[in-house]
Amino acid sequence: MARRAPRPYHHGDLRRALMEAALALVSDGGLPALSLREAARRAGVSVAAPYHHFASREALIAALAVEGFAGMRASMEAELAAADDEPVERLLASGRGYLRYALAHPASFQIMFGAPRLCDVSQFPEVASASAPVGEILARGVEGVLALPGLSAVPAARLALLAWSSVHGMAWLVLDGAAPPSVAVGNGGGVDPFAPVEALGALLRAAVASP
């Protein structure tokens, strides 16, 4: 009986197909579900095919994290492009962009911030290079706010942590279905994920306005 020819690994843009398959795996089963073997199965290729593009599961995770941080940066920059020049509004705009990306791309968000637990990110310096601009956008927003009257004494690191935890924490609460009723829209008609962002803005503007 004739032997069956092995499946060719060529799949058009196989790298893209594997990345999409990996995101689908995380969406369905969380980070533990992500493997090269399962990504190959979802992409309809042999288990050996992914190694033409990714040397390991860790390399696939790193590539997805890089893509995720680039997407988050673009989302933050888009919000900033639509914002006015008022410093508090610009900080809030960057936070909205962060949160919009996280909620629109939950699997990517999980991978971006789960990568350090899943692989040695020091072996993939491109992850740090991709994540740095996200932090820099936030830092510029904080710097602008701290130049306002009444806020110059606030430590920059503390305000940056407050701003980041407001959006990062809210993203996880929404994605986990654990957002508290205090951020509900109307009479329990869903959660307003941007409530913490607006609350932070109100606090900062009140501090500026106080004598």
Side-chain angles (χ1 to χ4, degrees):
M1 184 171 63
R3 295 179 61 187
R4 179 181 297 176
R7 283 188 295 177
Y9 81 85
H10 183 66
H11 190 279
D13 188 353
L14 178 56
R15 187 176 192 275
R16 181 74 254 157
L18 290 167
M19 292 175 74
E20 293 295 337
L23 289 169
L25 287 168
V26 173
S27 181
D28 290 348
L31 294 175
L34 177 54
S35 72
L36 279 177
R37 177 180 291 273
E38 282 303 305
R41 186 184 65 80
R42 286 231 178 182
V45 296
S46 72
V47 295
Y51 294 96
H52 292 278
H53 298 275
F54 302 104
S56 62
R57 173 178 182 260
E58 290 74 18
L60 173 58
I61 290 167
L64 289 164
V66 167
E67 181 178 77
F69 281 115
M72 179 172 280
R73 175 186 181 180
S75 179
M76 295 170 79
E77 289 176 340
E79 290 286 334
L80 284 167
D84 60 33
D85 292 333
E86 195 268 320
V88 172
E89 178 55 30
R90 293 195 69 76
L91 177 60
L92 301 186
S94 66
R96 292 187 198 102
Y98 186 109
L99 194 47
R100 285 191 200 284
Y101 183 83
L103 299 181
H105 306 277
S108 176
F109 186 66
Q110 289 184 64
I111 292 167
M112 290 157 62
F113 293 98
R117 301 193 306 273
L118 300 173
C119 65
D120 182 0
V121 292
S122 68
Q123 300 299 311
F124 302 95
E126 62 270 27
V127 176
S129 296
S131 65
V134 170
E136 290 165 3
I137 292 171
L138 176 62
R140 287 197 297 272
V142 168
E143 182 180 345
V145 166
L146 294 182
L148 294 170
L151 292 173
S152 59
V154 178
R158 291 187 181 182
L159 180 54
L161 180 59
L162 175 60
W164 182 52
S165 59
S166 294
V167 292
H168 191 79
M170 190 62 193
W172 282 118
L173 286 171
V174 173
L175 295 177
D176 287 344
S182 60
V183 293
V185 179
N187 296 317
V191 169
D192 177 8
F194 300 100
V197 177
E198 303 312 321
L200 176 60
L203 288 171
L204 292 172
R205 290 184 174 113
V208 172
S210 64

